[in-house]
Amino acid sequence: MEKSSLDADCALNMVLVEEKKGHLIPNGNAHQGVNGTLNGGPVSAATGAISAVEKRQGYPERETWTRQMDFIMSCVGFAVGLGNVWRFPYLCYKNGGGVFLIPYVLFIFLGGIPIFFLEIALGQFMKAGSINVWNIAPLFKGLGFASMVIVFFCNTYYIMVLAWGFYYLIKSFNSTLPWSTCDNPWNSENCIEIFRHSDCHNGTIGNATFGNMTCEELANGRSPIIEFWENKVLNISDGLDQPGDINWEMVLCLMAVWVMVYFCVWKGVKSTGKIVYVTATFPYVVLIILLVRGVTLPGAYDGIMYYVKPDWSKLGEAQVWIDAGTQIFFSYAIGLGALTALGSYNRFNNDCYKDAFVLAFINSGTSFFSGFVVFSILGFMASEQGVDISKVAESGPGLAFIAYPKAISMMPVAPVWAALFFIMLLLLGLDSQFVGVEGFVTGILDLFPGKYYMRFQREIAVAICCLLCFIIDLSMVTQGGMYVFQLFDYYSASGMTLLWQAFWECVVVAWVYGADRFMDDIARMIGYRPFPWIKWCWSFITPCVCMAIFLFHLLNYKPLTYNNVYVYPWWGEVIGWCMALSSMLCIPVSLVYKLAGSKGTFRERWESLTKPVWGAHHLEYMAPDTDIKSLTSLSPGTEENKVIIFESVM
């Protein structure tokens, strides 16, 4: 040992031995300590000794955010995504307008904030990604693998929305928007540019363009935006069993978006924390511009009133409450492990409790604000077409790629508004995408001990991740690609998988590790104990809410369809359920495997496998009166885990 280590021996007995129960080992990733010391010489000496050993063994230091605002912006960029713009407004209008906010706000405090805070605090306390963070209860490390599977699937299919948005953005730079006319090669003979119900008089329409056609005949007409979406962008086939040809234009768009994601992530949080200042803030600028433009259009007031007008009778419907709870878990990006990864780059004493409330307010506020933007434009479109707003209101891709572009095509200087909208769409999704990739890569790299560290390992890991996802994405740029996309969306990262994940997170922290114990850990980090309702939510309320919504989804399961017309074949549903179970089964399978592989009685196995594995940074921040011998070690019995034991002479 070097002189620094020899000095530490004055206060500590430091020896290299095989794994020994009840002591500390350096974290495999050697998370760096942040500024702060403990009272008492021996413990401080231990901290110095462990730092010396880490440097001697060549462990890389864990990155931290340059500024705390980098973390806030990254969380905003990840959690505030397309669902806030295209899903919440639709759910709000469908479920009673302003009345929907009652169950929505209730679920924010009963489910959203508690789990959001739990994931960030776990990452900050353990200073590890989505897998190693469950060293807090190693028996349940399957939770980490489950979140990795979910976020991998999410990274794979979510980027297709960005590829479509990028394609629309390119097509917006034309004097005439291609989805506004019927004189394109992809249009059919049934394409009709403008049709107003008020133009129907006595069953006929007097228009030279269409001739003397009845309203019944015109009802079979197709809008140019629908034909652009289905015939040009998707070039959709008749079913999942007909993949057809690859759309090479979409391949290029997909490749371009993946290249952008790669260069946003490849250098780690130091660069990602800067990029999100643009990708997370500019969409708000565009939303404000679109709102100002939207409220000046005819019909905007009716659209907004349709969005917020309360229908109190809806509160008695179970579906309204289920939609509110499900939307919280979707929009807060819970269960994906990315929030844990972002929290792991925080300073150990960062006030993540305050951050959780700030981020929840921004997230839900964005959702509500987006509704005014969306429905002011939809009100204008309904007014122009002479139909009820319910006929034009859509959710998901239907809003982003059909309803909204169609409304924009009716506005003066349409290409400008189209470009602004799709730039906003691209940036909203881009930061969610690259932070998701960051969370996945962080979890993978945390699995490799420091001795395996190599130069450019992050860049290589990000490249492999992006390339693998891109190869899978090629199945979604074929003529049958939309059916594949829906399979991923409906099963792999669905409400059931996220609710299952959230349920087990609460159970493990509250009942296996201990809610009071974790509250003490949080107090050690932030300097005070959070309000007790957080503990009550983790222990009772949130798990019950998660399981209730999970069972509701399971009991009311409906086979997947496309446009309510095409029903997926049985083997397509089997593939979907395999994707869902691939993450959900990680938890029980991992638990059974670990218990079966251990020795002793069931109680001895349980106690051994649920003892936390602490990292080096915990020693630095451990209170002076903490029993250091309660710190347990990692991977018992393995040759490579020579550990450094610290025993205080006090």
Side-chain angles (χ1 to χ4, degrees), residues 317-385:
E317 298 179 13
Q319 186 63 50
V320 174
W321 295 81
I322 297 301
D323 283 345
T326 305
Q327 175 62 15
I328 288 296
F329 288 96
F330 270 122
S331 65
Y332 279 47
I334 290 167
L336 300 176
L339 293 174
T340 303
L342 294 177
S344 72
Y345 298 114
N346 277 337
R347 293 175 293 106
F348 188 81
N349 58 353
N350 171 63
D351 193 345
C352 53
Y353 183 58
K354 179 186 69 177
D355 291 346
F357 281 90
V358 171
L359 291 167
F361 175 78
I362 294 173
N363 192 316
S364 297
T366 302
S367 297
F368 187 63
F369 176 73
S370 298
F372 291 93
V373 179
V374 170
F375 274 86
S376 63
I377 301 294
L378 293 182
F380 161 70
M381 185 169 74
S383 174
E384 289 292 297
Q385 293 182 320

Side-chain angles (χ1 to χ4, degrees), residues 130-131 143-153 336 439-440 443-444:
S130 56
I131 296 179
L143 271 165
F145 291 103
S147 65
M148 291 287 282
V149 172
I150 296 173
V151 79
F152 176 77
F153 283 140
L336 300 176
F440 181 80
I444 294 294

Side-chain angles (χ1 to χ4, degrees), residues 227-244:
E227 294 205 337
F228 177 79
W229 170 242
E230 293 188 349
N231 299 347
K232 177 61 176 173
V233 179
L234 301 180
N235 194 16
I236 195 166
S237 65
D238 292 330
L240 183 63
D241 56 343
Q242 300 178 29

